[in-house]
Amino acid sequence: MKRLNFLKRGLNLYLCALSFLFFELSSIACFAGVIYEYREEGSVAVIGTIDIQSPPASASSGWSTTAESDLIALFLDNAVFGLGSGNVLSLGGQLVMPSGILSSNGVRLDGGSIGITFPTIFPSDPSDPTIDRSLSIQFGVPQGGDFIGLATVETFPNGQVVVGDLFKFGDWVVQGTALVPETTHLTLLGVGLLGVGWMGYRKRRCSRPPSP
């Protein structure tokens, strides 16, 4: 009898553990997303990442969304943009998606836009300016056509206004994917290689001794 009670107790603990594990896995699945990385045109360094809820986001097929709640996180390199190292979406700014976000194949973000207006920063020193910042992210089809713009407006107590702009052009590509050159780039590369090969052939031919 004692052994039977022991087995029942063990079975109950086992079932509880399975239920807890299932709940945790379900919670993780609910917040799973697809991460896209941003690189400037001609650079391999990642200076931004955006995490988008899946679904609708997919790394293997086309998708689109107009829901702001589908954006999980946005991180931008603080050394480049100066917005801190945390999630930009958690800075308390006003987020807008006027045309949503579109991916034609899941690999790249190639349509839509995001805009964020950040809260005004008031200085502790009355002689310093107030700072207003706004971020604009636009997704384009051609390679290098994804744009990030950061506008900063400093307003001094005497009415002087200083405007600073930061513009970046590059590509949002799904994490772990290497950029593939466009057809025109491949064509130019092929022509260049053919030219180098022809020059080498002529050089070897000219250096041969004449046949007797």
Side-chain angles (χ1 to χ4, degrees), residues 5-6 17 39 46-47 56 73 76-77 84 105-107 109 113 125 132 145 148 154 163 176 179 192 197 210-211:
N5 289 335
F6 177 78
R39 296 174 177 84
V46 176
I47 60 173
L76 297 175
D77 191 332
N105 56 12
V107 176
L109 300 180
S113 61
D125 187 339
D132 293 284
I148 299 180
E154 297 181 341
V163 179
L179 284 175
S211 301

Side-chain angles (χ1 to χ4, degrees), residues 3-211:
R3 184 176 181 182
L4 182 60
N5 289 335
F6 177 78
L7 290 175
K8 285 182 178 180
R9 191 175 301 170
L11 180 60
N12 288 334
L13 290 174
Y14 177 72
L15 291 175
C16 288
L18 280 181
S19 300
F20 178 76
L21 180 61
F22 178 76
F23 174 77
E24 288 296 318
L25 290 175
S26 299
S27 300
I28 293 173
C30 289
F31 292 98
V34 179
I35 298 176
Y36 291 85
E37 298 175 331
Y38 186 79
R39 296 174 177 84
E40 283 191 85
E41 189 176 14
S43 173
V44 297
V46 176
I47 60 173
T49 61
I50 186 169
D51 191 356
I52 305 175
Q53 182 79 27
S54 176
S58 169
S60 57
S61 60
W63 59 270
S64 65
T65 181
T66 57
E68 298 170 4
S69 58
D70 287 333
L71 300 184
I72 299 175
L74 172 64
F75 294 93
L76 297 175
D77 191 332
N78 185 49
V80 178
F81 298 96
L83 294 173
S85 57
N87 182 4
V88 174
L89 300 179
S90 64
L91 295 180
Q94 181 181 358
L95 172 67
V96 293
M97 292 171 54
S99 52
I101 302 176
L102 167 71
S103 175
S104 59
N105 56 12
V107 176
R108 302 167 59 99
L109 300 180
D110 43 24
S113 61
I114 298 173
I116 303 177
T117 302
F118 299 102
T120 299
I121 300 176
F122 295 96
S124 55
D125 187 339
S127 62
D128 289 336
T130 59
I131 301 175
D132 293 284
R133 297 175 298 177
S134 59
L135 179 70
S136 175
I137 300 177
Q138 299 178 10
F139 310 103
V141 175
Q143 187 164 317
D146 295 336
F147 166 81
I148 299 180
L150 178 65
T152 303
V153 179
E154 297 181 341
T155 305
F156 289 83
N158 62 0
Q160 180 186 2
V161 177
V162 178
V163 179
D165 293 314
L166 175 66
F167 301 129
K168 297 293 181 182
F169 291 90
D171 298 278
W172 289 98
V173 181
V174 73
Q175 194 173 58
T177 302
L179 284 175
V180 178
E182 288 183 329
T183 306
T184 53
H185 295 168
L186 291 174
T187 302
L188 291 174
L189 178 61
V191 171
L193 290 175
L194 285 174
V196 172
W198 173 251
M199 290 177 64
Y201 170 75
R202 289 198 61 183
K203 185 176 181 180
R204 288 195 304 271
R205 187 176 180 182
C206 293
S207 63
R208 287 179 182 174
S211 301

